[in-house]
Amino acid sequence: MNALRIASWGIPAVPQQGPVIVYSNHPAWWDAAVYILAADHFFPAYESYAPIDAAMLKQYGIFGRIGAFGVDLESPRGAANFLSAGSEILSARNRALWITAQGRFGDARERPLGLKPGVARLVERAPGCTILPLAIEYSFWLERGAEAFMAFGEPLRGSELLNLERPARLQKLEDELTATLDHLSADVRSRDPARFRAVLEGRAGVGGFYDGWRRMAAALRGRSFDPSHEGRHS
């Protein structure tokens, strides 16, 4: 990756106190890294958590040490466990729950998004929460490395969403995320860096951001990180 950029209009309106639910599309495996960087940059006062496929968590235990919790995505019991864990996390005002609401990988241009109903049901467990849609996309611009892009949509209040029946509530969440994605995609296609702010970037495809991805990859493989030139080829 060459850089992580956020749309100038998509800076999150972070509430002074939570809890907060951030829900996004799920275009790539790298979404977890985007979550980590976004949480650190925009939500430093919050403890952040995210559900992850239980099988993947078993393979990549490092995620458990940075706020991920395992969920069986294919069973009713897993859905119940997700709601239970989410309810516990959202019981504290200094916590944020980050959710890839599609529950599967999907192209950023896919419509409809097909959000899972769990994100709409979580609101019932935390009516005082703030809910933020997060659009994520990846693209190649001028550098050999890809660019990661993100944008937050308008915040929603849990208490207001509770006035809607579950199907209408889920549709409202999908509509808001879709609109945010469409706006972000238009900016990405423009290839105009002036429309974005750099959250983190390297120099010509190498450097800080590049080494940041390499550091995480080394940790996932259980290896020590070597930033030297020789380490780039190991």
Side-chain angles (χ1 to χ4, degrees):
M1 291 289 175
N2 178 58
L4 172 61
R5 306 183 190 279
I6 187 166
S8 297
W9 52 266
I11 308 297
V14 180
Q16 292 185 347
Q17 62 182 20
V20 172
I21 298 173
V22 178
Y23 72 103
S24 77
N25 59 315
H26 194 15
W29 187 92
W30 289 109
D31 301 342
V34 171
Y35 276 11
I36 293 168
L37 293 169
D40 182 65
H41 192 86
F42 297 109
F43 297 80
Y46 284 82
E47 295 177 5
S48 288
Y49 300 83
I52 187 173
D53 180 70
M56 181 176 289
L57 183 61
K58 183 178 294 185
Q59 183 176 1
Y60 300 113
I62 185 177
F63 285 123
R65 297 195 292 273
I66 55 176
F69 59 95
V71 175
D72 181 357
L73 301 177
E74 303 300 328
S75 72
R77 183 178 181 85
N81 289 341
F82 163 72
L83 290 174
S84 177
S87 178
E88 172 62 26
I89 290 167
L90 296 171
S91 65
R93 293 182 175 182
N94 67 330
R95 292 176 181 169
L97 182 60
W98 299 67
I99 306 169
T100 51
Q102 288 176 292
R104 56 174 175 76
F105 291 118
D107 191 279
R109 295 158 294 187
E110 178 182 334
R111 302 290 184 272
L113 297 175
L115 302 188
K116 296 293 185 182
V119 64
R121 297 188 62 181
L122 267 178
V123 178
E124 300 166 12
R125 309 290 184 98
C129 70
T130 298
I131 306 173
L132 287 164
L134 170 60
I136 302 173
E137 185 170 335
Y138 305 93
S139 182
F140 285 90
W141 277 5
L142 299 180
E143 302 295 342
R144 65 179 180 180
E147 312 273 338
F149 301 93
M150 60 188 295
F152 290 86
E154 293 295 323
L156 304 167
R157 294 297 303 167
S159 55
E160 296 175 0
L161 286 172
L162 281 178
N163 294 327
L164 302 174
E165 297 294 328
R166 282 179 180 173
R169 190 187 312 153
L170 183 62
Q171 188 61 53
K172 173 68 173 177
L173 292 169
E174 177 144 344
D175 290 345
E176 291 295 325
L177 180 53
T178 299
T180 308
L181 270 166
D182 289 345
H183 194 171
L184 176 63
S185 292
D187 284 350
V188 171
R189 290 195 301 271
S190 75
R191 297 196 170 199
D192 180 3
R195 299 191 183 191
F196 297 90
R197 298 183 187 179
V199 177
L200 195 61
E201 63 182 341
R203 293 178 299 174
V206 299
F209 195 52
Y210 177 65
D211 283 345
W213 292 126
R214 293 173 57 230
R215 188 183 301 276
M216 177 172 288
L220 292 176
R221 297 186 180 98
R223 301 174 181 172
S224 60
F225 174 64
D226 179 3
S228 67
H229 178 75
E230 290 78 8
R232 297 180 194 278
H233 301 283
S234 61

